[in-house]
Amino acid sequence: MNIGLTGGIATGKSTVARMLVARGAALVDADRIAREIVEPGQAALVRIAERFGDRVIQADGSLDRRMLGTIVFADAEERKALEAITHPAIRELMRERVAALEAERPDRLVVADIPLLYESGLQHVYEGVMVAYVPREVQRTRLIGRDGLSPEEADKRIGAQMDIEEKRRLADYVIDNSGTVAETEAQLDRFWRSLRSGPVTL
Ligand SMILES: CC(C)(COP(=O)(O)OP(=O)(O)OC[C@H]1O[C@@H](n2cnc3c(N)ncnc32)[C@H](O)[C@@H]1O)[C@@H](O)C(=O)NCCC(=O)NCCS
Ligand SMILES: Nc1ncnc2c1ncn2[C@@H]1O[C@H](COP(=O)(O)OP(=O)(O)OP(=O)(O)O)[C@@H](O)[C@H]1O
């Protein structure tokens, strides 16, 4: 049994994922896999250095994420080039890990946290899609508060993704994370109960 979990940048995917794990789900996190595949020694890092130059590599050989982020969130062409290098490897590792966790414990829910699930057309790979939703203004405020970005940088990152309202419309299950953490927990309780009381009703 699996679901894809998505949303926009800083709408609360990790927060919701943590709550699902606390209730017994297993998690596969695309952002974490995206970091693994660009560690020093990995093929993707070599290709990134070839495409974007030494300015994105730090003195210790690791990726300068802030610099690469500034480049790719300012220019859709550059972003596409980075995605062409990283996405095939991310997708393959996600697929393998979700399948392994499902095989290990078929009764357990496996959650695939994928920020770009809809943008990448992956909605049909999973049995259902949950969207962590907050309105755009809350998203912007939380993103600036968490990452210390300027309002302009925050808008560029938000603008690089499908509109959160559109994701909410497409979702099988919406978690509104604009209230308190306790209010989000209560929604997760309802979801978890519906899951346990019968077939997945996403
Ligand atoms: C550009 C990079 C180096 C910036 O690193 P940084 O540490 O600042 O951000 P981090 O990786 O933690 O991502 C934060 C959020 O940015 C958003 N984001 C990341 N990549 C993209 C993208 N290509 N398009 C739109 N939004 C993106 C996601 O919402 C993600 O949760 C990094 O995000 C990256 O390598 N992106 C390409 C891989 C990718 O597409 N990852 C997204 C999930 S598969
Ligand atoms: N209900 C809430 N009330 C107040 N703050 C919240 C709430 N949920 C999450 N936050 C805060 O908002 C920020 C974004 O949340 P979170 O990191 O879970 O989002 P995300 O969607 O996983 O982000 P990303 O796309 O960057 O991975 C964090 O600083 C988090 O602590």
Side-chain angles (χ1 to χ4, degrees), residues 7-10 13 30-31 34-35 38 48 63-66 68-69 72-73 79 82-83 86-87 90 114-116 119 146-147 157 160-161:
I9 184 165
K13 293 177 300 297
D31 276 341
R35 283 171 191 263
V38 296
I48 288 170
L63 182 63
D64 186 337
R65 306 181 65 86
R66 195 161 259 270
L68 185 55
V72 303
F73 292 117
R79 199 162 61 244
L82 176 62
E83 290 173 355
T86 57
H87 281 190
I90 296 170
I114 311 180
L116 302 179
E119 290 87 341
R146 187 193 59 186
D147 291 353
R157 288 183 188 225
Q161 301 184 346

PDB file of all heavy atoms in Angstrom, residues 7-10 13 30-31 34-35 38 48 63-66 68-69 72-73 79 82-83 86-87 90 114-116 119 146-147 157 160-161, ligand 1:
ATOM      1  N   GLY A   7       3.074  18.733  -2.494  1.00  0.00           N
ATOM      2  CA  GLY A   7       2.642  20.053  -2.055  1.00  0.00           C
ATOM      3  C   GLY A   7       3.544  21.050  -2.744  1.00  0.00           C
ATOM      4  O   GLY A   7       4.195  20.704  -3.734  1.00  0.00           O
ATOM      5  N   GLY A   8       3.630  22.268  -2.226  1.00  0.00           N
ATOM      6  CA  GLY A   8       4.569  23.234  -2.781  1.00  0.00           C
ATOM      7  C   GLY A   8       5.740  23.368  -1.831  1.00  0.00           C
ATOM      8  O   GLY A   8       5.730  22.796  -0.733  1.00  0.00           O
ATOM      9  N   ILE A   9       6.737  24.121  -2.244  1.00  0.00           N
ATOM     10  CA  ILE A   9       7.871  24.345  -1.355  1.00  0.00           C
ATOM     11  C   ILE A   9       7.360  24.998  -0.058  1.00  0.00           C
ATOM     12  O   ILE A   9       6.581  25.938  -0.102  1.00  0.00           O
ATOM     13  CB  ILE A   9       8.962  25.187  -2.069  1.00  0.00           C
ATOM     14  CG1 ILE A   9      10.192  25.338  -1.187  1.00  0.00           C
ATOM     15  CG2 ILE A   9       8.444  26.562  -2.518  1.00  0.00           C
ATOM     16  CD1 ILE A   9      11.428  25.823  -1.949  1.00  0.00           C
ATOM     17  N   ALA A  10       7.746  24.414   1.067  1.00  0.00           N
ATOM     18  CA  ALA A  10       7.409  24.930   2.406  1.00  0.00           C
ATOM     19  C   ALA A  10       5.912  24.934   2.737  1.00  0.00           C
ATOM     20  O   ALA A  10       5.466  25.698   3.589  1.00  0.00           O
ATOM     21  CB  ALA A  10       7.995  26.331   2.617  1.00  0.00           C
ATOM     22  N   LYS A  13       5.170  19.424   3.616  1.00  0.00           N
ATOM     23  CA  LYS A  13       5.325  17.995   3.274  1.00  0.00           C
ATOM     24  C   LYS A  13       6.089  17.244   4.360  1.00  0.00           C
ATOM     25  O   LYS A  13       5.672  16.167   4.775  1.00  0.00           O
ATOM     26  CB  LYS A  13       6.058  17.829   1.932  1.00  0.00           C
ATOM     27  CG  LYS A  13       5.296  18.319   0.746  1.00  0.00           C
ATOM     28  CD  LYS A  13       6.111  18.191  -0.521  1.00  0.00           C
ATOM     29  CE  LYS A  13       7.389  18.986  -0.472  1.00  0.00           C
ATOM     30  NZ  LYS A  13       7.208  20.444  -0.351  1.00  0.00           N
ATOM     31  N   ALA A  30      12.129  12.130  -1.557  1.00  0.00           N
ATOM     32  CA  ALA A  30      12.823  12.466  -2.815  1.00  0.00           C
ATOM     33  C   ALA A  30      13.908  13.519  -2.607  1.00  0.00           C
ATOM     34  O   ALA A  30      14.966  13.456  -3.244  1.00  0.00           O
ATOM     35  CB  ALA A  30      11.817  12.956  -3.856  1.00  0.00           C
ATOM     36  N   ASP A  31      13.669  14.491  -1.711  1.00  0.00           N
ATOM     37  CA  ASP A  31      14.704  15.510  -1.473  1.00  0.00           C
ATOM     38  C   ASP A  31      15.975  14.877  -0.904  1.00  0.00           C
ATOM     39  O   ASP A  31      17.087  15.288  -1.229  1.00  0.00           O
ATOM     40  CB  ASP A  31      14.195  16.583  -0.501  1.00  0.00           C
ATOM     41  CG  ASP A  31      13.368  17.675  -1.196  1.00  0.00           C
ATOM     42  OD1 ASP A  31      13.476  17.812  -2.435  1.00  0.00           O
ATOM     43  OD2 ASP A  31      12.629  18.384  -0.494  1.00  0.00           O
ATOM     44  N   ALA A  34      17.674  13.077  -3.650  1.00  0.00           N
ATOM     45  CA  ALA A  34      18.293  14.087  -4.527  1.00  0.00           C
ATOM     46  C   ALA A  34      19.645  14.535  -3.956  1.00  0.00           C
ATOM     47  O   ALA A  34      20.562  14.860  -4.709  1.00  0.00           O
ATOM     48  CB  ALA A  34      17.354  15.283  -4.688  1.00  0.00           C
ATOM     49  N   ARG A  35      19.759  14.533  -2.638  1.00  0.00           N
ATOM     50  CA  ARG A  35      21.052  14.888  -2.023  1.00  0.00           C
ATOM     51  C   ARG A  35      22.058  13.746  -2.137  1.00  0.00           C
ATOM     52  O   ARG A  35      23.246  13.976  -2.386  1.00  0.00           O
ATOM     53  CB  ARG A  35      20.864  15.251  -0.540  1.00  0.00           C
ATOM     54  CG  ARG A  35      20.295  16.633  -0.356  1.00  0.00           C
ATOM     55  CD  ARG A  35      19.893  16.912   1.079  1.00  0.00           C
ATOM     56  NE  ARG A  35      19.121  18.147   1.112  1.00  0.00           N
ATOM     57  CZ  ARG A  35      19.624  19.338   1.413  1.00  0.00           C
ATOM     58  NH1 ARG A  35      20.887  19.455   1.754  1.00  0.00           N
ATOM     59  NH2 ARG A  35      18.858  20.419   1.385  1.00  0.00           N
ATOM     60  N   VAL A  38      24.055  13.432  -5.463  1.00  0.00           N
ATOM     61  CA  VAL A  38      25.044  14.453  -5.845  1.00  0.00           C
ATOM     62  C   VAL A  38      26.191  14.530  -4.829  1.00  0.00           C
ATOM     63  O   VAL A  38      26.920  15.518  -4.776  1.00  0.00           O
ATOM     64  CB  VAL A  38      24.389  15.842  -6.039  1.00  0.00           C
ATOM     65  CG1 VAL A  38      23.404  15.810  -7.190  1.00  0.00           C
ATOM     66  CG2 VAL A  38      23.707  16.344  -4.762  1.00  0.00           C
ATOM     67  N   ILE A  48      27.060  17.618 -13.271  1.00  0.00           N
ATOM     68  CA  ILE A  48      26.665  18.974 -12.859  1.00  0.00           C
ATOM     69  C   ILE A  48      27.862  19.921 -12.992  1.00  0.00           C
ATOM     70  O   ILE A  48      27.727  21.040 -13.493  1.00  0.00           O
ATOM     71  CB  ILE A  48      26.114  18.958 -11.407  1.00  0.00           C
ATOM     72  CG1 ILE A  48      24.727  18.294 -11.391  1.00  0.00           C
ATOM     73  CG2 ILE A  48      26.041  20.366 -10.831  1.00  0.00           C
ATOM     74  CD1 ILE A  48      24.186  18.009 -10.000  1.00  0.00           C
ATOM     75  N   LEU A  63      28.915  19.799  -3.466  1.00  0.00           N
ATOM     76  CA  LEU A  63      28.079  20.710  -4.257  1.00  0.00           C
ATOM     77  C   LEU A  63      27.754  21.973  -3.458  1.00  0.00           C
ATOM     78  O   LEU A  63      27.392  21.893  -2.284  1.00  0.00           O
ATOM     79  CB  LEU A  63      26.777  19.982  -4.635  1.00  0.00           C
ATOM     80  CG  LEU A  63      25.786  20.761  -5.503  1.00  0.00           C
ATOM     81  CD1 LEU A  63      26.380  21.090  -6.868  1.00  0.00           C
ATOM     82  CD2 LEU A  63      24.491  19.964  -5.673  1.00  0.00           C
ATOM     83  N   ASP A  64      27.880  23.126  -4.107  1.00  0.00           N
ATOM     84  CA  ASP A  64      27.451  24.390  -3.500  1.00  0.00           C
ATOM     85  C   ASP A  64      25.967  24.566  -3.823  1.00  0.00           C
ATOM     86  O   ASP A  64      25.594  25.086  -4.870  1.00  0.00           O
ATOM     87  CB  ASP A  64      28.284  25.558  -4.050  1.00  0.00           C
ATOM     88  CG  ASP A  64      27.972  26.871  -3.334  1.00  0.00           C
ATOM     89  OD1 ASP A  64      26.863  26.988  -2.755  1.00  0.00           O
ATOM     90  OD2 ASP A  64      28.833  27.759  -3.355  1.00  0.00           O
ATOM     91  N   ARG A  65      25.126  24.094  -2.930  1.00  0.00           N
ATOM     92  CA  ARG A  65      23.679  24.041  -3.196  1.00  0.00           C
ATOM     93  C   ARG A  65      23.074  25.428  -3.309  1.00  0.00           C
ATOM     94  O   ARG A  65      22.171  25.663  -4.097  1.00  0.00           O
ATOM     95  CB  ARG A  65      22.973  23.232  -2.105  1.00  0.00           C
ATOM     96  CG  ARG A  65      23.560  21.839  -1.914  1.00  0.00           C
ATOM     97  CD  ARG A  65      22.822  21.058  -0.848  1.00  0.00           C
ATOM     98  NE  ARG A  65      21.457  20.815  -1.259  1.00  0.00           N
ATOM     99  CZ  ARG A  65      21.079  19.784  -2.025  1.00  0.00           C
ATOM    100  NH1 ARG A  65      21.981  18.917  -2.443  1.00  0.00           N
ATOM    101  NH2 ARG A  65      19.826  19.640  -2.351  1.00  0.00           N
ATOM    102  N   ARG A  66      23.575  26.350  -2.499  1.00  0.00           N
ATOM    103  CA  ARG A  66      23.011  27.693  -2.541  1.00  0.00           C
ATOM    104  C   ARG A  66      23.292  28.332  -3.907  1.00  0.00           C
ATOM    105  O   ARG A  66      22.404  28.915  -4.527  1.00  0.00           O
ATOM    106  CB  ARG A  66      23.574  28.550  -1.400  1.00  0.00           C
ATOM    107  CG  ARG A  66      22.797  29.816  -1.158  1.00  0.00           C
ATOM    108  CD  ARG A  66      23.072  30.395   0.232  1.00  0.00           C
ATOM    109  NE  ARG A  66      22.015  30.093   1.191  1.00  0.00           N
ATOM    110  CZ  ARG A  66      20.946  30.869   1.400  1.00  0.00           C
ATOM    111  NH1 ARG A  66      20.772  31.967   0.716  1.00  0.00           N
ATOM    112  NH2 ARG A  66      20.049  30.532   2.308  1.00  0.00           N
ATOM    113  N   LEU A  68      24.011  26.770  -6.779  1.00  0.00           N
ATOM    114  CA  LEU A  68      23.263  26.087  -7.845  1.00  0.00           C
ATOM    115  C   LEU A  68      21.777  26.477  -7.789  1.00  0.00           C
ATOM    116  O   LEU A  68      21.139  26.690  -8.823  1.00  0.00           O
ATOM    117  CB  LEU A  68      23.432  24.565  -7.722  1.00  0.00           C
ATOM    118  CG  LEU A  68      22.806  23.728  -8.831  1.00  0.00           C
ATOM    119  CD1 LEU A  68      23.301  24.137 -10.228  1.00  0.00           C
ATOM    120  CD2 LEU A  68      23.076  22.235  -8.610  1.00  0.00           C
ATOM    121  N   GLY A  69      21.250  26.616  -6.570  1.00  0.00           N
ATOM    122  CA  GLY A  69      19.858  27.036  -6.410  1.00  0.00           C
ATOM    123  C   GLY A  69      19.620  28.419  -7.004  1.00  0.00           C
ATOM    124  O   GLY A  69      18.634  28.656  -7.708  1.00  0.00           O
ATOM    125  N   VAL A  72      19.571  27.967 -10.867  1.00  0.00           N
ATOM    126  CA  VAL A  72      18.466  27.245 -11.520  1.00  0.00           C
ATOM    127  C   VAL A  72      17.088  27.834 -11.219  1.00  0.00           C
ATOM    128  O   VAL A  72      16.173  27.699 -12.030  1.00  0.00           O
ATOM    129  CB  VAL A  72      18.459  25.721 -11.203  1.00  0.00           C
ATOM    130  CG1 VAL A  72      19.781  25.086 -11.610  1.00  0.00           C
ATOM    131  CG2 VAL A  72      18.135  25.427  -9.753  1.00  0.00           C
ATOM    132  N   PHE A  73      16.944  28.520 -10.073  1.00  0.00           N
ATOM    133  CA  PHE A  73      15.630  29.110  -9.800  1.00  0.00           C
ATOM    134  C   PHE A  73      15.462  30.464 -10.492  1.00  0.00           C
ATOM    135  O   PHE A  73      14.378  31.030 -10.495  1.00  0.00           O
ATOM    136  CB  PHE A  73      15.371  29.196  -8.295  1.00  0.00           C
ATOM    137  CG  PHE A  73      15.205  27.831  -7.667  1.00  0.00           C
ATOM    138  CD1 PHE A  73      16.083  27.374  -6.705  1.00  0.00           C
ATOM    139  CD2 PHE A  73      14.182  26.986  -8.086  1.00  0.00           C
ATOM    140  CE1 PHE A  73      15.945  26.098  -6.153  1.00  0.00           C
ATOM    141  CE2 PHE A  73      14.034  25.711  -7.547  1.00  0.00           C
ATOM    142  CZ  PHE A  73      14.919  25.270  -6.579  1.00  0.00           C
ATOM    143  N   ARG A  79      17.284  25.149 -15.068  1.00  0.00           N
ATOM    144  CA  ARG A  79      16.586  24.187 -14.194  1.00  0.00           C
ATOM    145  C   ARG A  79      16.325  22.886 -14.938  1.00  0.00           C
ATOM    146  O   ARG A  79      16.537  21.802 -14.430  1.00  0.00           O
ATOM    147  CB  ARG A  79      15.286  24.814 -13.694  1.00  0.00           C
ATOM    148  CG  ARG A  79      14.731  24.129 -12.480  1.00  0.00           C
ATOM    149  CD  ARG A  79      13.741  25.006 -11.765  1.00  0.00           C
ATOM    150  NE  ARG A  79      12.595  25.357 -12.581  1.00  0.00           N
ATOM    151  CZ  ARG A  79      12.285  26.590 -12.965  1.00  0.00           C
ATOM    152  NH1 ARG A  79      13.053  27.600 -12.612  1.00  0.00           N
ATOM    153  NH2 ARG A  79      11.227  26.813 -13.689  1.00  0.00           N
ATOM    154  N   LEU A  82      19.466  20.846 -15.130  1.00  0.00           N
ATOM    155  CA  LEU A  82      19.766  20.151 -13.877  1.00  0.00           C
ATOM    156  C   LEU A  82      18.834  18.945 -13.691  1.00  0.00           C
ATOM    157  O   LEU A  82      19.272  17.858 -13.296  1.00  0.00           O
ATOM    158  CB  LEU A  82      19.610  21.111 -12.684  1.00  0.00           C
ATOM    159  CG  LEU A  82      19.792  20.480 -11.302  1.00  0.00           C
ATOM    160  CD1 LEU A  82      21.205  19.907 -11.129  1.00  0.00           C
ATOM    161  CD2 LEU A  82      19.495  21.491 -10.189  1.00  0.00           C
ATOM    162  N   GLU A  83      17.560  19.147 -14.004  1.00  0.00           N
ATOM    163  CA  GLU A  83      16.591  18.051 -13.833  1.00  0.00           C
ATOM    164  C   GLU A  83      16.908  16.887 -14.772  1.00  0.00           C
ATOM    165  O   GLU A  83      16.721  15.722 -14.410  1.00  0.00           O
ATOM    166  CB  GLU A  83      15.173  18.565 -14.090  1.00  0.00           C
ATOM    167  CG  GLU A  83      14.700  19.519 -12.987  1.00  0.00           C
ATOM    168  CD  GLU A  83      13.362  20.179 -13.287  1.00  0.00           C
ATOM    169  OE1 GLU A  83      12.821  19.975 -14.396  1.00  0.00           O
ATOM    170  OE2 GLU A  83      12.877  20.908 -12.404  1.00  0.00           O
ATOM    171  N   THR A  86      19.525  14.958 -12.919  1.00  0.00           N
ATOM    172  CA  THR A  86      19.199  14.347 -11.619  1.00  0.00           C
ATOM    173  C   THR A  86      17.938  13.474 -11.619  1.00  0.00           C
ATOM    174  O   THR A  86      17.889  12.461 -10.913  1.00  0.00           O
ATOM    175  CB  THR A  86      19.021  15.433 -10.536  1.00  0.00           C
ATOM    176  OG1 THR A  86      18.005  16.352 -10.961  1.00  0.00           O
ATOM    177  CG2 THR A  86      20.304  16.172 -10.273  1.00  0.00           C
ATOM    178  N   HIS A  87      16.913  13.855 -12.363  1.00  0.00           N
ATOM    179  CA  HIS A  87      15.621  13.180 -12.191  1.00  0.00           C
ATOM    180  C   HIS A  87      15.606  11.688 -12.537  1.00  0.00           C
ATOM    181  O   HIS A  87      14.961  10.918 -11.803  1.00  0.00           O
ATOM    182  CB  HIS A  87      14.518  13.942 -12.939  1.00  0.00           C
ATOM    183  CG  HIS A  87      14.057  15.150 -12.165  1.00  0.00           C
ATOM    184  ND1 HIS A  87      12.963  15.890 -12.499  1.00  0.00           N
ATOM    185  CD2 HIS A  87      14.566  15.748 -11.054  1.00  0.00           C
ATOM    186  CE1 HIS A  87      12.807  16.884 -11.633  1.00  0.00           C
ATOM    187  NE2 HIS A  87      13.777  16.828 -10.766  1.00  0.00           N
ATOM    188  N   ILE A  90      16.969   9.906  -9.519  1.00  0.00           N
ATOM    189  CA  ILE A  90      16.081  10.045  -8.352  1.00  0.00           C
ATOM    190  C   ILE A  90      14.886   9.109  -8.520  1.00  0.00           C
ATOM    191  O   ILE A  90      14.500   8.377  -7.603  1.00  0.00           O
ATOM    192  CB  ILE A  90      15.590  11.500  -8.194  1.00  0.00           C
ATOM    193  CG1 ILE A  90      16.753  12.447  -7.908  1.00  0.00           C
ATOM    194  CG2 ILE A  90      14.536  11.603  -7.075  1.00  0.00           C
ATOM    195  CD1 ILE A  90      16.392  13.931  -7.972  1.00  0.00           C
ATOM    196  N   ILE A 114       7.400  13.592  -2.541  1.00  0.00           N
ATOM    197  CA  ILE A 114       7.974  14.038  -3.819  1.00  0.00           C
ATOM    198  C   ILE A 114       7.466  15.443  -4.145  1.00  0.00           C
ATOM    199  O   ILE A 114       6.330  15.616  -4.604  1.00  0.00           O
ATOM    200  CB  ILE A 114       7.565  13.091  -4.979  1.00  0.00           C
ATOM    201  CG1 ILE A 114       7.813  11.631  -4.585  1.00  0.00           C
ATOM    202  CG2 ILE A 114       8.294  13.462  -6.263  1.00  0.00           C
ATOM    203  CD1 ILE A 114       7.440  10.626  -5.652  1.00  0.00           C
ATOM    204  N   PRO A 115       8.308  16.476  -3.926  1.00  0.00           N
ATOM    205  CA  PRO A 115       7.835  17.848  -4.174  1.00  0.00           C
ATOM    206  C   PRO A 115       7.295  18.045  -5.594  1.00  0.00           C
ATOM    207  O   PRO A 115       6.308  18.733  -5.791  1.00  0.00           O
ATOM    208  CB  PRO A 115       9.092  18.696  -3.973  1.00  0.00           C
ATOM    209  CG  PRO A 115      10.030  17.863  -3.186  1.00  0.00           C
ATOM    210  CD  PRO A 115       9.681  16.425  -3.405  1.00  0.00           C
ATOM    211  N   LEU A 116       7.950  17.434  -6.584  1.00  0.00           N
ATOM    212  CA  LEU A 116       7.579  17.673  -7.986  1.00  0.00           C
ATOM    213  C   LEU A 116       6.760  16.516  -8.555  1.00  0.00           C
ATOM    214  O   LEU A 116       6.856  16.203  -9.739  1.00  0.00           O
ATOM    215  CB  LEU A 116       8.848  17.895  -8.828  1.00  0.00           C
ATOM    216  CG  LEU A 116       9.738  19.056  -8.364  1.00  0.00           C
ATOM    217  CD1 LEU A 116      10.976  19.168  -9.255  1.00  0.00           C
ATOM    218  CD2 LEU A 116       8.982  20.382  -8.365  1.00  0.00           C
ATOM    219  N   GLU A 119       4.404  17.848 -11.312  1.00  0.00           N
ATOM    220  CA  GLU A 119       5.216  18.433 -12.396  1.00  0.00           C
ATOM    221  C   GLU A 119       5.904  17.332 -13.201  1.00  0.00           C
ATOM    222  O   GLU A 119       6.140  17.483 -14.398  1.00  0.00           O
ATOM    223  CB  GLU A 119       6.285  19.368 -11.820  1.00  0.00           C
ATOM    224  CG  GLU A 119       5.766  20.674 -11.224  1.00  0.00           C
ATOM    225  CD  GLU A 119       5.368  20.549  -9.758  1.00  0.00           C
ATOM    226  OE1 GLU A 119       5.134  19.414  -9.278  1.00  0.00           O
ATOM    227  OE2 GLU A 119       5.289  21.594  -9.098  1.00  0.00           O
ATOM    228  N   ARG A 146      11.757  30.151   7.192  1.00  0.00           N
ATOM    229  CA  ARG A 146      12.577  28.956   7.388  1.00  0.00           C
ATOM    230  C   ARG A 146      13.947  29.075   6.724  1.00  0.00           C
ATOM    231  O   ARG A 146      14.965  28.728   7.310  1.00  0.00           O
ATOM    232  CB  ARG A 146      11.861  27.723   6.839  1.00  0.00           C
ATOM    233  CG  ARG A 146      12.587  26.416   7.178  1.00  0.00           C
ATOM    234  CD  ARG A 146      12.078  25.246   6.398  1.00  0.00           C
ATOM    235  NE  ARG A 146      12.231  25.483   4.968  1.00  0.00           N
ATOM    236  CZ  ARG A 146      11.773  24.676   4.028  1.00  0.00           C
ATOM    237  NH1 ARG A 146      11.106  23.601   4.369  1.00  0.00           N
ATOM    238  NH2 ARG A 146      11.958  24.946   2.753  1.00  0.00           N
ATOM    239  N   ASP A 147      13.986  29.552   5.476  1.00  0.00           N
ATOM    240  CA  ASP A 147      15.233  29.495   4.701  1.00  0.00           C
ATOM    241  C   ASP A 147      15.981  30.819   4.654  1.00  0.00           C
ATOM    242  O   ASP A 147      17.063  30.897   4.064  1.00  0.00           O
ATOM    243  CB  ASP A 147      14.945  29.022   3.272  1.00  0.00           C
ATOM    244  CG  ASP A 147      14.514  27.554   3.239  1.00  0.00           C
ATOM    245  OD1 ASP A 147      14.570  26.905   4.308  1.00  0.00           O
ATOM    246  OD2 ASP A 147      14.134  27.067   2.170  1.00  0.00           O
ATOM    247  N   ARG A 157      11.352  30.674  -6.294  1.00  0.00           N
ATOM    248  CA  ARG A 157      11.239  29.238  -5.994  1.00  0.00           C
ATOM    249  C   ARG A 157       9.793  28.777  -6.073  1.00  0.00           C
ATOM    250  O   ARG A 157       9.500  27.711  -6.618  1.00  0.00           O
ATOM    251  CB  ARG A 157      11.837  28.933  -4.610  1.00  0.00           C
ATOM    252  CG  ARG A 157      13.350  29.055  -4.685  1.00  0.00           C
ATOM    253  CD  ARG A 157      14.063  28.704  -3.401  1.00  0.00           C
ATOM    254  NE  ARG A 157      15.476  29.062  -3.600  1.00  0.00           N
ATOM    255  CZ  ARG A 157      16.506  28.317  -3.268  1.00  0.00           C
ATOM    256  NH1 ARG A 157      16.317  27.159  -2.690  1.00  0.00           N
ATOM    257  NH2 ARG A 157      17.741  28.711  -3.515  1.00  0.00           N
ATOM    258  N   ALA A 160       8.694  28.435  -9.626  1.00  0.00           N
ATOM    259  CA  ALA A 160       9.286  27.328 -10.391  1.00  0.00           C
ATOM    260  C   ALA A 160       8.433  26.070 -10.304  1.00  0.00           C
ATOM    261  O   ALA A 160       8.746  25.053 -10.929  1.00  0.00           O
ATOM    262  CB  ALA A 160      10.695  27.041  -9.879  1.00  0.00           C
ATOM    263  N   GLN A 161       7.346  26.120  -9.504  1.00  0.00           N
ATOM    264  CA  GLN A 161       6.513  24.922  -9.309  1.00  0.00           C
ATOM    265  C   GLN A 161       5.085  25.198  -9.754  1.00  0.00           C
ATOM    266  O   GLN A 161       4.653  26.326  -9.858  1.00  0.00           O
ATOM    267  CB  GLN A 161       6.504  24.544  -7.822  1.00  0.00           C
ATOM    268  CG  GLN A 161       7.903  24.272  -7.278  1.00  0.00           C
ATOM    269  CD  GLN A 161       7.896  23.801  -5.831  1.00  0.00           C
ATOM    270  OE1 GLN A 161       6.895  23.915  -5.129  1.00  0.00           O
ATOM    271  NE2 GLN A 161       9.035  23.268  -5.414  1.00  0.00           N
TER     272      GLN A 161
HETATM  273  C1  LIG B   1      18.712  23.301  -6.794  1.00  0.00           C
HETATM  274  C2  LIG B   1      19.152  22.614  -5.511  1.00  0.00           C
HETATM  275  C3  LIG B   1      20.655  22.332  -5.547  1.00  0.00           C
HETATM  276  C4  LIG B   1      18.868  23.590  -4.330  1.00  0.00           C
HETATM  277  O1  LIG B   1      19.233  22.978  -3.126  1.00  0.00           O
HETATM  278  P1  LIG B   1      18.627  23.471  -1.712  1.00  0.00           P
HETATM  279  O2  LIG B   1      19.427  22.746  -0.671  1.00  0.00           O
HETATM  280  O3  LIG B   1      18.625  24.973  -1.683  1.00  0.00           O
HETATM  281  O4  LIG B   1      17.108  23.010  -1.689  1.00  0.00           O
HETATM  282  P2  LIG B   1      16.493  21.520  -1.448  1.00  0.00           P
HETATM  283  O5  LIG B   1      17.176  20.526  -2.298  1.00  0.00           O
HETATM  284  O6  LIG B   1      16.412  21.254   0.006  1.00  0.00           O
HETATM  285  O7  LIG B   1      15.033  21.702  -2.076  1.00  0.00           O
HETATM  286  C5  LIG B   1      14.077  22.511  -1.412  1.00  0.00           C
HETATM  287  C6  LIG B   1      12.817  22.546  -2.203  1.00  0.00           C
HETATM  288  O8  LIG B   1      13.023  23.230  -3.442  1.00  0.00           O
HETATM  289  C7  LIG B   1      12.111  22.751  -4.392  1.00  0.00           C
HETATM  290  N1  LIG B   1      12.837  22.325  -5.612  1.00  0.00           N
HETATM  291  C8  LIG B   1      14.005  21.648  -5.692  1.00  0.00           C
HETATM  292  N2  LIG B   1      14.346  21.413  -6.976  1.00  0.00           N
HETATM  293  C9  LIG B   1      13.371  21.955  -7.715  1.00  0.00           C
HETATM  294  C10 LIG B   1      13.146  22.047  -9.108  1.00  0.00           C
HETATM  295  N3  LIG B   1      14.021  21.502  -9.990  1.00  0.00           N
HETATM  296  N4  LIG B   1      12.028  22.682  -9.538  1.00  0.00           N
HETATM  297  C11 LIG B   1      11.149  23.220  -8.664  1.00  0.00           C
HETATM  298  N5  LIG B   1      11.312  23.176  -7.327  1.00  0.00           N
HETATM  299  C12 LIG B   1      12.407  22.544  -6.861  1.00  0.00           C
HETATM  300  C13 LIG B   1      11.374  21.571  -3.736  1.00  0.00           C
HETATM  301  O9  LIG B   1      10.149  22.017  -3.227  1.00  0.00           O
HETATM  302  C14 LIG B   1      12.291  21.192  -2.604  1.00  0.00           C
HETATM  303  O10 LIG B   1      11.570  20.583  -1.552  1.00  0.00           O
HETATM  304  C15 LIG B   1      18.383  21.273  -5.278  1.00  0.00           C
HETATM  305  O11 LIG B   1      17.051  21.536  -4.944  1.00  0.00           O
HETATM  306  C16 LIG B   1      18.437  20.312  -6.459  1.00  0.00           C
HETATM  307  O12 LIG B   1      19.419  19.633  -6.662  1.00  0.00           O
HETATM  308  N6  LIG B   1      17.336  20.247  -7.263  1.00  0.00           N
HETATM  309  C17 LIG B   1      17.265  19.345  -8.401  1.00  0.00           C
HETATM  310  C18 LIG B   1      16.704  18.011  -7.986  1.00  0.00           C
HETATM  311  C19 LIG B   1      15.219  18.101  -7.781  1.00  0.00           C
HETATM  312  O13 LIG B   1      14.455  18.322  -8.722  1.00  0.00           O
HETATM  313  N7  LIG B   1      14.782  17.967  -6.511  1.00  0.00           N
HETATM  314  C20 LIG B   1      13.393  18.126  -6.172  1.00  0.00           C
HETATM  315  C21 LIG B   1      12.730  16.872  -5.739  1.00  0.00           C
HETATM  316  S1  LIG B   1      12.965  15.485  -6.742  1.00  0.00           S
END
